[in-house]
Structure formats: structure tokens, C-alpha cells
Amino acid sequence: MPEVIFAGPAGRLEGRYQPSKEKSAPIAIVLHPHPQFGGTMNNKIVYDLFYMFQKRDFTTLRFNFRGIGRSQGEFDHGTGELSDAAAALDWVQSLHPDSKSCWVAGYSFGAWIGMQLLMRRPEIEGFISVAPQPNTYDFSFLAPCPSSGLIIHGDADKVAPPKDVQTLVDKLHTQKGITITQKTLSGANHFFANHAEQLIEECADYLDRRLAGELADPRPKRLR
């Protein structure tokens, strides 16, 4: 798995990158939790999501947001981190021009950034949001949410209370043309202590079903 350094809006960004052998394979970007609370691309859940996509022959990238590890810059309260994510996708796409589709997965803070990236990039056809925090971050930009995806969280999460996540899911369920799948893990907290394996199994099952053509409304492809 090559260590990579690529240009970001605030200086270089550090990542881990695994290209697929297939020229036209889809791309997956995995986004880490909050940089000011210990979040890095080496977070275990981020690492496991990366390998989940890689095993399914996606071209896969995870990277450190600005100011983390060897990534340059300073924390920018989400605005700069969204620009970092867009630059990361641009970089992978420049290496894989034949890839036509993309997925984004994010955990906690990374889920918020990932869903904002989804709004900007028509080629993103699926998302996985792990423990999003609608009680902390504004998700009103999802109007409408352009792609089907999975929202997965724990019913013992005190950082992102289930009732707040449920409100977000309910709002997205009213939107036409997409299918939002929700999984709530019994007993899991925000860090999925003792539930990390179950989390990845649920995400992998969702991805496999999507790749088989399930769990998403058939609809015209958005244009870049």
C-alpha cells in the first residue's frame, strides 16, 4: 500500500493509496474523524473501511486532513477539510481517468465532510456515513441528497444521540429518487467499542448489495 503525498489547498496532504488493477474500477475515498480529537487516517474504523473497499477491487484512498501527520496546514472547522477531500478526489481521478464512479465513506466528522463532498461531485454514486453528528454539525445542505447510501450508528452513542441521527434519516427518507438505508447497532457507542467487527460486516454487506444492484433507486446518472 503506497504512502503518497499530493497537493492540497493548504499544502501537501499525506495519504495511503491502493490502485485497482482494473483501469475503470470505481474509486473510494475514506475520511477520518475530527482532527482535534485524535482523528487520523490510521483510525481503526477508517483503516478497516479502506480495506473493505480495496478487497472489492476499488481504487482506494485514505488521507490525513490538513495539520494531521505529515499533511500541511491548520484545522479549518470543516471548510478547509472539505477542500482537502475534493483535492484528494481530484488527485485520484487524475491517475484513473477511466474510472466513472466513486464512493465516499466517512466516520463521525468525516461523515459530515463526506456528505458535503457528495453534494459537490455528481460522480459519487454511494456513501457510507458512520456515526454522523447532526446534533453538532449542520446537515441542512442535503436538500436534496443526490445519492443513495448507508447511515450506520449505535443506540448507545452519547456523542451523536440516536434521536438526532433518526431525525436526519427521517428527513432524508422523504426525498424522492434515493434510498437511505439505516442500521442501528445495539449497544454500540460512538467509538464502536466491542462492535467494530459488526460495524464493518454491516458496511460490507451493504456495499455488496449495492454492487449487486440492490438498495438504490434506478435513476439517470448525474453528469459531472
Side-chain angles (χ1 to χ4, degrees):
M1 175 181 42
E3 295 183 22
V4 291
I5 297 287
F6 56 93
R12 67 171 182 261
L13 293 170
E14 173 191 18
R16 299 289 182 276
Y17 157 72
Q18 190 67 53
S20 169
K21 295 183 180 69
E22 293 293 325
K23 282 178 68 177
S24 60
I27 291 165
I29 304 273
V30 186
L31 304 175
H32 70 70
H34 202 294
Q36 293 192 310
F37 298 101
T40 79
M41 66 175 174
N42 294 321
N43 171 277
K44 178 74 164 65
I45 288 170
V46 170
Y47 179 89
D48 288 345
L49 288 169
F50 178 94
Y51 274 100
M52 176 190 77
F53 281 108
Q54 189 201 329
K55 281 179 194 167
R56 286 153 181 82
D57 212 25
F58 280 67
T59 286
T60 311
L61 175 71
R62 69 187 201 269
F63 70 97
N64 279 328
F65 287 125
R66 56 184 63 199
I68 298 297
R70 291 193 292 158
S71 291
Q72 294 177 320
E74 296 178 357
F75 179 66
D76 193 34
H77 306 281
T79 304
E81 286 74 17
L82 174 56
S83 296
D84 293 344
L89 183 51
D90 287 342
W91 179 78
V92 182
Q93 287 177 329
S94 72
L95 298 176
H96 299 271
D98 294 326
S99 180
K100 298 294 184 283
S101 70
C102 177
W103 278 64
V104 61
Y107 172 27
S108 193
F109 174 85
W112 180 53
I113 300 297
M115 293 189 86
Q116 290 180 78
L117 186 66
L118 181 76
M119 295 298 293
R120 292 186 169 199
R121 305 298 284 260
E123 64 272 28
I124 297 178
E125 63 179 26
F127 70 86
I128 294 174
S129 283
V130 178
Q133 293 172 257
N135 55 313
T136 304
Y137 305 116
D138 182 2
F139 281 83
S140 63
F141 57 82
L142 292 168
C145 178
S147 299
S148 297
L150 171 68
I151 293 178
I152 183 164
H153 61 118
D155 69 1
D157 191 331
K158 292 185 169 61
V159 179
K163 66 178 176 56
D164 295 298
V165 179
Q166 191 63 53
T167 299
L168 172 63
V169 171
D170 291 346
K171 179 182 164 189
L172 294 176
H173 272 321
T174 66
Q175 298 184 9
K176 295 189 172 119
I178 60 165
T179 303
I180 299 298
T181 302
Q182 179 186 20
K183 291 285 182 182
T184 308
L185 303 191
S186 178
N189 63 16
H190 194 66
F191 307 100
F192 297 91
N194 304 315
H195 292 81
E197 197 171 307
Q198 182 189 4
L199 168 70
I200 298 301
E201 285 172 1
E202 291 283 3
C203 291
D205 177 67
Y206 175 79
L207 182 58
D208 288 340
R209 291 180 70 186
R210 280 291 302 273
L211 294 174
E214 301 174 38
L215 301 176
D217 284 1
R219 63 198 171 88
K221 187 76 185 144
R222 294 187 291 156
L223 300 174
R224 288 192 197 183

